[in-house]
Amino acid sequence: MIVKALIFDVFGTLVDWRTCVAREVEAHLQPLGLQVDALAFADAWRDQYQPAMEAVRSGRLPFCKLDRLHRHNLDVVLADFGLDAVDESTRQSLNLAWHRLDAWPDVAPGLHRLRRHYRLAPCSNGNISLMVDLARRNDFPWDAILGAEVARDYKPKPAVYLAAADAFDLTPAETLMVAAHSSDLDAAARAGLRTAFIARPDEFAQGAGERMPTVPVDLTAVSLTDLADQLTP
């Protein structure tokens, strides 16, 4: 397997979105005297993610950045939780919760080791400013910011993976997609990329993430540092 670049899913694979979004929900709503199950709110917000992107993928909506979709979804979830009274400034700040997510502990050390030997970039549905903020917060050593905003479409559309490989002037087979989600890896493989699965068994709650891939992959690892052990001398 000759690989020259690694591209990464971010939400769930590199960062713990659920715990961090719940933390932000509490920080924003409790000062307003609003009590809410913050983890349930985070889950409900995330549940709106794929349907919102499907509207773009299907052509029903023109491409727009994930921040804009997240804001629409936030308004929906606030209404569903009976929180319509939340003011505009709070909504704007809370919507940026996705820019303030924390990485899993193995991620930064693993990325720094991998970067000695490979080009690295996110291949996320998150927009560029979001990816930059997460990189600066968590010391992600990217060589480029790739993904949905570059491709003007959302994963798992093939164009997103192919645009990332092309940005590095590489063939799909020279590009390794790294993710904790079998569906993401399956789509990347169908586009001709190599694939590596990272186990995140607690992504959706304790024991509620993927421990093993459900599709064929080239590599399987329990962490980014484990992946680095497999790919570097």
Side-chain angles (χ1 to χ4, degrees), residues 1 33 50-51 72 97 104 116 140 142 144 189 193 231:
M1 182 174 66
Q50 288 295 341
H72 169 78
W104 303 107
R116 298 172 196 160
F140 295 163
W142 301 132
L193 279 70
L231 287 174

Side-chain angles (χ1 to χ4, degrees), residues 10-11 15-29 38 41-42 45 66-67 70-71 74 89-103 129-131 133-134 137-138:
V10 175
F11 300 123
V15 295
D16 176 10
W17 63 266
R18 186 173 188 262
T19 301
C20 297
V21 168
R23 177 188 66 202
E24 292 270 350
V25 169
E26 289 183 345
H28 282 79
L29 299 187
F41 191 102
W45 198 356
L66 187 62
D67 276 345
H70 273 158
R71 174 54 198 271
L74 173 61
S89 63
T90 299
R91 290 172 188 247
Q92 290 181 10
S93 178
L94 180 54
N95 194 53
L96 295 178
W98 300 90
H99 291 239
R100 297 186 289 264
L101 306 178
D102 296 331
S129 67
L130 197 168
M131 291 295 109
D133 286 346
L134 292 182
R137 180 182 181 88
N138 294 290

Side-chain angles (χ1 to χ4, degrees), residues 59-198:
R60 287 184 284 117
L61 286 179
F63 180 82
C64 60
K65 298 180 183 183
L66 187 62
D67 276 345
R68 182 175 172 186
L69 295 181
H70 273 158
R71 174 54 198 271
H72 169 78
N73 297 344
L74 173 61
D75 291 342
V76 169
V77 175
L78 285 169
D80 288 346
F81 276 70
L83 300 171
D84 290 295
V86 172
D87 61 274
E88 176 61 21
S89 63
T90 299
R91 290 172 188 247
Q92 290 181 10
S93 178
L94 180 54
N95 194 53
L96 295 178
W98 300 90
H99 291 239
R100 297 186 289 264
L101 306 178
D102 296 331
W104 303 107
D106 59 281
V107 172
L111 289 177
H112 280 274
R113 287 177 55 195
L114 288 163
R115 191 171 181 268
R116 298 172 196 160
H117 304 274
Y118 303 96
R119 303 173 196 175
L120 304 182
C123 186
S124 171
N125 285 325
N127 44 280
I128 292 171
S129 67
L130 197 168
M131 291 295 109
V132 169
D133 286 346
L134 292 182
R136 292 173 66 88
R137 180 182 181 88
N138 294 290
D139 191 25
F140 295 163
W142 301 132
D143 293 298
I145 304 292
L146 306 174
E149 190 174 349
V150 171
R152 308 298 291 179
D153 210 340
Y154 284 111
K155 295 188 299 180
K157 295 286 281 294
V160 185
Y161 308 102
L162 296 174
D166 184 65
F168 281 134
D169 290 327
L170 299 176
T171 66
E174 294 174 314
T175 309
L176 181 71
M177 179 69 197
V178 183
H181 312 116
S182 295
S183 58
D184 200 356
L185 295 175
D186 182 57
R190 291 176 183 274
L193 279 70
R194 301 291 190 173
T195 55
F197 175 84
I198 304 296

